[in-house]
């Protein structure tokens, strides 16, 4: 066991200025004005954007974030590419870099790609001085702390010492600031009780100690992966029930209400939709599946694999429904995509169901008019270019996909001119109050609206000549 003396924390660095590093450090700086917080990244553009004078240009959109950055930036919150200098005089270094799914080699398609975490550990080993607490903030496979400890421990400079702490982040995008300011719990895993308490001290500035859970390193790492797996499993479960509702005449919203009223089940994460997106659920499930296989737990791996498979099936099933309702062909048909972000109140599109569904429709020959209040045309293009090598998109539509077959539209009503159908894929507030009377006059007949988020007002739309399909709602 590592032993360290409790020292006053005056400076924290965080490597990785992304969706987690940026907002998390902004909240820590806001709550701990006596601590200097520096967020570091190799991506110069990202750091430039964090330092932008135009607060609407911050690289991450989160309600409440820009106000916090405005309060703290330049006082005790800094964004910088000067990584080594800042590591050198930091008491704590958070590692908040990306850990995507490995795309080649051993574990390809399942295991986490830990190259960025390893690089950070090496950099901390080299640049640090004195005693440094290294905190895993990224989501990591269980036992990664062992690798980090080994790298840090191989430093030949005896004046350096380290303790490794696991402190996974549970924020959800779109509500990141609220989640950070008032989390359900803070999880701190480690071996050195002094370092655990030093990290806990930071959170105690605004979070009740009763919410701080202390565990060993491996429980902490594994809890993060399994928390995401449980949440994703609930979404696949409810989406499977939505499909049964559509066949039987049951209504998914009524079923969700009925089952969620059982306090043992609870009413959160049982909203049916196009399928879970985001950078975490699929990646973390795949990683868990990889670990299960690695430890010889084939049945356990298959159980979690079914959660991922159901999600892909659900995304594909929605595009098939659109094709079937539009007479089996989408050739030259104009379809409006309402929402490209993976959920409302974020500009993040990673693993958004809109990507798979849009690509499926493009393959059928549709012309897409894509609207999203926070996602740029360049970002949509980048997502379409990230073509999965194993999929049939590669050969058929890779060149065509960005060649006039889709267009980003800023004025929603313009998107509907001569459109055959619209699909609500993100639950942006503004989509729940659209003027369907006006829209019905703009669309080509017969016109369809496919609501995968249950936000369209059925009473209003039923007064128009638009046909409405709603997820999880079958024929009466
Ligand atoms: P991100 O891709 O938005 O940000 C990661 C940043 O790390 C990038 O800006 C990248 O340039 C930087 N980086 C990579 N290697 C670096 C290096 N060697 N030196 C300096 N900078 C480096 O990722 P994210 O969404 O913030 O996720 C980070 C981690 O947090 C992941 O492990 C993820 O699973 C986990 N997580 C994410 C969320 C979420 O909602 N996005 C929630 C909880 C946990
Ligand atoms: C998730 C976890 O919630 C969070 O704790 C973790 O730190 C990171 O991963 P995030 O992916 O940002 O957060 O958003 P989340 O709210 O979990 O939504 C993920 C996906 O599930 C979205 O596509 C969302 O639309 C979908 N979802 C969520 C549903 O379809 N139904 C629901 O009931 C809830």
């Amino acid at each position: 066991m590592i032993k360290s003396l409790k020292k006053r924390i005056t400076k924290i660095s965080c490597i990785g200025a992304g969706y987690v590093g940026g907002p998390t450090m902004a909240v820590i700086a806001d709550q701990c004005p006596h601590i200097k917080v520096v967020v570091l990244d190799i991506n110069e553009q990202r750091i430039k954007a964090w330092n932008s004078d135009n607060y609407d240009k911050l690289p991450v959109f989160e309600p409440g974030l820009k106000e916090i950055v405005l309060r703290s930036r330049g006082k005790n919150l800094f964004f910088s590419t000067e990584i080594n200098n800042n590591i050198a005089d930091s008491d704590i270094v958070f590692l908040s870099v990306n850990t995507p799914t490995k795309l080649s080699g051993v574990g390809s398609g399942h295991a986490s790609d830990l190259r960025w975490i390893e690089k950070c550990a090496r950099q901390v080993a080299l640049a640090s001085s004195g005693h440094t607490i290294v905190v895993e903030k990224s989501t990591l496979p269980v036992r990664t702390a062992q690798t980090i400890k080994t790298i840090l421990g191989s430093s030949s400079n005896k004046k350096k010492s380290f303790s490794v702490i696991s402190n996974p982040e549970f924020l959800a995008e779109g509500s990141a600031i609220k989640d950070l300011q008032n989390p359900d719990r803070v999880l701190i895993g480690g071996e050195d009780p002094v370092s655990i308490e030093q990290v806990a001290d930071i959170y105690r500035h605004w979070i009740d100690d009763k919410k701080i859970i202390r565990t060993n390193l491996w429980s902490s790492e594994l809890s993060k992966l399994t928390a995401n797996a449980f949440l994703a499993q609930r979404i696949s479960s409810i989406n499977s029930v939505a499909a049964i509702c559509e066949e039987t005449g049951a209504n998914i919203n009524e079923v969700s209400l009925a089952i969620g009223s059982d306090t043992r089940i609870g009413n959160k994460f049982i909203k049916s939709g196009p399928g879970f997106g985001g950078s975490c659920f699929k990646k973390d499930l795949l990683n868990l599946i990889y670990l299960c296989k690695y430890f010889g737990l084939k049945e356990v791996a298959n159980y979690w694999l079914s959660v991922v498979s159901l999600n892909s099936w659900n995304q594909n099933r929605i595009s098939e429904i659109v094709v079937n309702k539009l007479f089996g062909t989408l050739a030259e048909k104009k379809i409006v995509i309402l929402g490209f972000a993976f959920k409302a109140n974020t500009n993040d599109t990673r693993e958004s169901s809109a990507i798979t569904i849009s690509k499926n429709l493009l393959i059928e020959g549709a012309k897409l008019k894509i609207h999203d209040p926070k996602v740029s045309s360049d970002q949509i293009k980048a997502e379409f270019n990230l073509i999965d090598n194993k999929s049939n998109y590669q050969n058929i539509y890779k060149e065509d996909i960005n060649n006039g077959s889709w267009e980003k539209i800023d004025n929603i009503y313009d998107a509907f001119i001569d459109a055959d159908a619209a699909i609500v894929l993100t639950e942006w507030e503004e989509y729940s109050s659209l003027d369907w009377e006006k829209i019905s006059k703009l669309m080509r007949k017969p016109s369809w609206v496919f609501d995968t988020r249950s936000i369209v007002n059925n009473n209003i739309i039923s007064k128009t000549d638009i046909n409405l399909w709603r997820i999880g709602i079958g024929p009466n």
Side-chain angles (χ1 to χ4, degrees):
M1 185 191 289
I2 310 143
K3 284 220 166 53
S4 57
L5 294 173
K6 194 165 179 184
K7 182 183 156 216
R8 191 161 174 263
I9 303 299
T10 56
K11 179 168 176 183
I12 293 174
S13 287
C14 172
I15 310 183
Y19 281 87
V20 169
T24 307
M25 292 302 127
V27 169
I28 291 181
D30 195 37
Q31 301 287 346
C32 309
H34 60 287
I35 299 179
K36 181 175 179 183
V37 179
V38 187
V39 194
L40 305 164
D41 209 293
I42 36 171
N43 183 332
E44 286 181 14
Q45 283 308 105
R46 212 163 217 195
I47 291 298
K48 214 170 144 197
W50 279 113
N51 284 322
S52 167
D53 289 335
N54 181 348
Y55 284 83
D56 289 324
K57 291 241 154 66
L58 296 181
V60 172
F61 169 74
E62 280 292 339
L65 174 65
K66 81 173 174 188
E67 290 77 5
I68 291 182
V69 175
L70 190 63
R71 275 203 295 272
S72 306
R73 204 181 64 192
K75 290 183 188 135
N76 69 325
L77 175 66
F78 301 88
F79 296 90
S80 169
T81 50
E82 300 257 310
I83 299 181
N84 286 348
N85 295 347
N86 279 296
I87 291 175
D89 60 353
S90 287
D91 304 302
I92 304 184
V93 178
F94 284 82
L95 309 182
S96 188
V97 295
N98 36 320
T99 51
T101 305
K102 240 181 133 179
L103 295 176
S104 59
V106 176
S108 168
H110 283 87
S112 284
D113 193 338
L114 297 179
R115 73 176 88 175
W116 294 278
I117 273 289
E118 184 178 331
K119 195 168 172 218
C120 287
R122 288 182 191 280
Q123 203 156 3
V124 175
L126 212 66
S128 63
S129 61
H131 184 72
T132 311
I133 300 173
V134 179
V135 181
E136 296 176 340
K137 185 50 102 177
S138 298
T139 305
L140 297 166
V142 57
R143 298 204 73 84
T144 304
Q146 187 57 54
T147 309
I148 296 177
K149 280 196 287 179
T150 307
I151 292 170
L152 295 172
S154 61
S155 164
S156 53
N157 186 336
K158 297 295 165 233
K159 288 191 186 141
K160 298 183 187 195
S161 61
F162 304 94
S163 33
V164 177
I165 296 288
S166 162
N167 170 223
E169 186 47 62
F170 294 100
L171 68 81
E173 289 180 29
S175 56
I177 299 303
K178 199 165 62 66
D179 296 343
L180 287 161
Q181 288 174 332
N182 186 22
D184 287 345
R185 78 309 209 177
V186 169
L187 179 56
I188 305 176
E191 292 168 337
D192 171 24
V194 176
S195 302
I196 292 176
E197 288 318 307
Q198 284 187 298
V199 175
D201 280 348
I202 296 169
Y203 291 106
R204 265 198 296 263
H205 280 97
W206 74 100
I207 297 161
D208 193 323
D209 190 59
K210 288 193 198 93
K211 284 189 175 180
I212 302 177
I213 301 171
R214 285 102 168 149
T215 67
N216 76 27
L217 273 170
W218 323 125
S219 304
S220 175
E221 289 178 331
L222 185 61
S223 299
K224 173 64 201 178
L225 280 187
T226 43
N228 273 355
F230 265 62
L231 292 169
Q233 173 265 322
R234 282 172 73 92
I235 301 169
S236 280
S237 296
I238 204 68
N239 285 337
S240 77
V241 178
I244 307 174
C245 289
E246 287 162 31
E247 296 300 324
T248 57
N251 177 322
I252 192 64
N253 301 318
E254 293 173 357
V255 175
S256 288
L257 177 69
I259 61 173
S261 302
D262 183 328
T263 53
R264 293 169 303 173
I265 296 174
N267 60 9
K268 294 192 179 139
F269 272 75
I270 48 169
K271 184 126 190 68
S272 64
F276 57 77
S279 62
C280 294
F281 283 168
K282 186 172 170 195
K283 161 180 85 77
D284 294 345
L285 275 163
L286 291 173
N287 187 216
L288 185 63
I289 293 160
Y290 179 73
L291 288 172
C292 295
K293 285 187 183 157
Y294 178 84
F295 293 116
L297 301 166
K298 197 171 117 231
E299 284 72 15
V300 186
N302 286 342
Y303 172 71
W304 291 114
L305 185 59
S306 71
V307 175
V308 183
S309 310
L310 195 291
N311 197 53
S312 306
W313 171 81
N314 192 54
Q315 292 168 336
N316 291 326
R317 145 186 129 77
I318 286 165
S319 23
E320 276 171 33
I321 288 169
V322 176
V323 175
N324 289 337
K325 296 285 187 202
L326 298 188
F327 311 120
T329 172
L330 299 186
E332 300 296 319
K333 286 185 180 150
K334 229 169 110 174
I335 299 184
V336 182
I337 300 291
L338 291 175
F340 206 80
F342 80 97
K343 63 185 275 197
N345 295 321
T346 176
N347 59 346
D348 196 348
T349 54
R350 290 177 288 181
E351 296 293 338
S352 176
S353 294
I355 303 167
T356 307
I357 294 170
S358 297
K359 280 182 186 169
N360 287 346
L361 303 179
L362 288 166
I363 283 172
E364 291 284 342
K367 300 278 181 203
L368 302 186
K369 306 284 164 190
I370 304 176
H371 179 272
D372 190 289
K374 289 288 171 197
V375 177
S376 68
S377 183
D378 282 351
Q379 202 174 329
I380 297 171
K381 189 171 177 185
E383 289 291 6
F384 284 153
N385 277 335
L386 286 175
I387 298 207
D388 176 359
N389 285 336
K390 281 180 241 115
S391 79
N392 56 353
Y393 305 127
Q394 180 158 18
N395 302 329
I396 318 175
Y397 276 99
K398 189 164 180 174
E399 284 96 44
D400 290 357
I401 232 161
N402 283 318
N403 208 2
S405 42
W406 66 271
E407 189 186 355
K408 167 94 199 296
I409 303 276
D410 291 330
N411 181 326
I412 300 191
Y413 292 98
D414 286 352
F416 284 95
I417 299 170
D418 292 332
D420 297 280
I423 314 176
V424 182
L425 291 177
T426 313
E427 72 283 25
W428 286 106
E429 174 80 33
E430 62 193 273
Y431 300 153
S432 56
S433 54
L434 290 172
D435 183 345
W436 290 109
E437 294 233 0
K438 176 175 169 179
I439 289 170
S440 74
K441 294 187 188 106
L442 297 173
M443 294 179 81
R444 192 163 83 136
K445 304 289 165 307
S447 37
W448 278 90
V449 169
F450 298 88
D451 182 10
T452 72
R453 293 288 191 172
S454 306
I455 58 165
V456 169
N457 188 327
N458 178 34
N459 293 333
I460 295 178
I461 222 165
S462 61
K463 292 189 186 120
T464 71
D465 56 6
I466 296 172
N467 298 296
L468 177 65
W469 176 90
R470 290 180 291 168
I471 194 152
I473 298 183
N476 282 322

